[in-house]
Amino acid sequence: MQRNDWQSVRHGLAGGGAVDWAMSPFLRAGNSLVVTGFWRSGTTFLLEQLTQLWRAKPVFEPFQPELAAYRAVLDKIVPANMDRRDTDLYLMPYALDEALAQYVSRALCYRIVDVRVQRSRSNLSAHGRRPRAVPQIAMQHGLAARPRVVAKFVRGALLVPALRERFGLSVYHIRRRPHGVLASYKSARWNDFQAERIGLRRLLLDIDDGRAAFFEPMAALIDELDKGDANQRLIAYWAFTEKFVDAHAEHYTMIPYEALATGAFDLAERLAHDGVDIRGARPTGFNSSTTSAHRAHLSARERIESWRDSLSTTEISQVDDIVARVGVGLP
């Protein structure tokens, strides 16, 4: 294990990880809720809303390539001749082999002690979710003691049918208009997300785990769009992966980001309809722990419509063209 991995584990233990580990044998993976959705689509917002409504503890993105245990899983997924630097960050696992299934089970039972998967838990105080008189470390340990888990897998959308078959859990998929996704990437510092590393053929066709059976009929379009710039490949990746979600819609509860943000989608009502016990729940506000600081003051309506001013007419036209060609329904 690398030095930064040990440091992350130590901080994780200090933030309630020992409580997580002690409780994990009593949790069942199939009882957890899962959040999926593309990068910059509001997955953290949804994760933290579900955490509060269901009085659960959040697992923040167990498919981070920085996590040692997940890197070991990737070693078996990514072909040896494929550049890992250009693959790992945006790879969405597709087939649930036994090694990946065991890793996911550990995540869903919060048996991964690492400060990186505790990110939402340690930051829930950032937007007024922690009473002023309660120290952050006390809040973290209190959250660790909760017997329910909500896990966010931003790289998990293609794996959902296999997860549902294996664990029988509920999946909430948030979809944001791709114009907003692109604008959010640019606003949150594009370089931090290294989107130039997205290779459509590499990520959708060249990994031999069964994914090509779905994406091969679109191979010509995939190859054509793979020649575009980083903007175009990002939106194309959004479109192709969301098309997979549409084709397997029975496995997902679809939540439109724009409707959730403005209150038009009542998440508490949906959870109650699904049989999730949310008695005593309280609203948490719009901002999440990953909201950009310079946008935190904006209203929900201003936030979801800001792409109209921040994207050029050329960029908007490119997004519209790609989405139409791939054939994905917009929220």
Side-chain angles (χ1 to χ4, degrees):
M1 186 179 289
Q2 299 174 7
R3 179 179 179 182
N4 60 336
D5 293 323
W6 282 116
Q7 185 177 33
S8 192
V9 170
R10 285 197 300 271
H11 286 303
L13 288 169
V19 178
D20 293 318
W21 189 266
M23 290 188 61
S24 63
F26 304 99
L27 303 180
R28 192 175 73 84
N31 289 339
S32 301
L33 300 182
V34 166
V35 171
T36 60
F38 201 79
W39 290 261
R40 308 307 298 173
S41 288
T43 53
T44 302
F45 171 46
L46 178 56
L47 171 72
E48 294 176 1
Q49 293 282 312
L50 289 171
T51 295
Q52 294 298 92
L53 288 171
W54 199 37
R55 300 180 302 282
K57 52 184 177 179
V59 176
F60 186 90
E61 189 47 46
F63 289 169
Q64 297 179 60
E66 297 84 3
L67 295 171
Y70 183 56
R71 287 200 303 271
V73 172
L74 285 175
D75 288 342
K76 301 177 181 179
I77 296 176
V78 181
N81 63 348
M82 196 170 283
D83 189 337
R84 297 289 293 271
R85 294 171 301 175
D86 288 340
T87 304
D88 290 0
L89 184 63
Y90 280 99
L91 175 67
M92 296 186 186
Y94 182 88
L96 192 66
D97 64 15
E98 194 56 33
L100 183 56
Q102 291 181 14
Y103 178 78
V104 170
S105 180
R106 289 172 56 199
L108 295 175
C109 295
Y110 225 123
R111 200 171 175 81
I112 300 175
V113 178
D114 193 293
V115 73
R116 287 167 289 205
V117 300
Q118 295 170 340
R119 177 176 174 180
S120 287
R121 191 159 84 191
S122 61
N123 287 337
L124 277 171
S125 62
H127 299 288
R129 292 170 173 81
R130 172 171 57 90
R132 205 171 277 180
V134 179
Q136 188 176 82
I137 190 170
M139 179 181 179
Q140 291 178 29
H141 279 78
L143 284 168
R146 291 181 175 183
R148 297 165 170 172
V149 173
V150 183
K152 182 192 94 157
F153 292 84
V154 75
R155 298 171 177 85
L158 302 186
L159 193 63
V160 166
L163 290 179
R164 293 265 296 155
E165 181 179 354
R166 176 68 178 253
F167 299 110
L169 40 69
S170 297
V171 177
Y172 292 84
H173 182 84
I174 190 164
R175 177 175 293 176
R176 184 179 192 175
R177 290 182 65 94
H179 312 77
V181 170
L182 178 58
S184 183
Y185 257 75
K186 297 175 70 174
S187 173
R189 293 181 58 120
W190 175 279
N191 290 339
D192 290 353
F193 292 90
Q194 303 173 23
E196 72 279 359
R197 294 185 173 179
I198 292 175
L200 298 175
R201 168 164 280 277
R202 182 178 68 252
L203 294 169
L204 299 175
L205 294 169
D206 288 349
I207 298 175
D208 185 19
D209 60 359
R211 69 185 64 210
F214 179 82
F215 292 108
E216 185 62 40
M218 298 174 280
L221 181 56
I222 288 172
D223 286 336
E224 179 183 343
L225 295 177
D226 211 5
K227 298 173 184 176
D229 62 22
N231 284 21
Q232 293 167 305
R233 285 181 282 114
L234 171 74
I235 296 307
Y237 196 40
W238 176 93
F240 285 117
T241 53
E242 292 294 334
K243 189 175 182 69
F244 178 90
V245 172
D246 284 346
H248 301 83
E250 69 274 15
H251 295 296
Y252 308 76
T253 294
M254 180 66 71
I255 300 180
Y257 167 80
E258 289 78 7
L260 181 65
T262 57
F265 185 97
D266 191 328
L267 183 60
E269 182 179 284
R270 179 67 210 204
L271 290 171
H273 176 270
D274 292 346
V276 178
D277 180 10
I278 58 169
R279 289 173 292 180
R282 56 189 176 85
T284 62
F286 178 56
N287 290 322
S288 78
S289 60
T290 56
T291 299
S292 301
H294 66 283
R295 295 173 59 80
H297 68 285
L298 299 177
S299 69
R301 178 57 63 183
E302 289 172 324
R303 192 103 38 92
I304 65 176
E305 295 290 342
S306 62
W307 61 265
R308 299 183 186 277
D309 298 319
S310 60
L311 297 183
S312 68
T313 55
T314 299
E315 289 171 330
I316 293 173
S317 178
Q318 287 178 336
V319 172
D320 290 338
D321 178 66
I322 291 170
V323 171
R325 295 181 70 188
V326 177
V328 184
L330 295 180

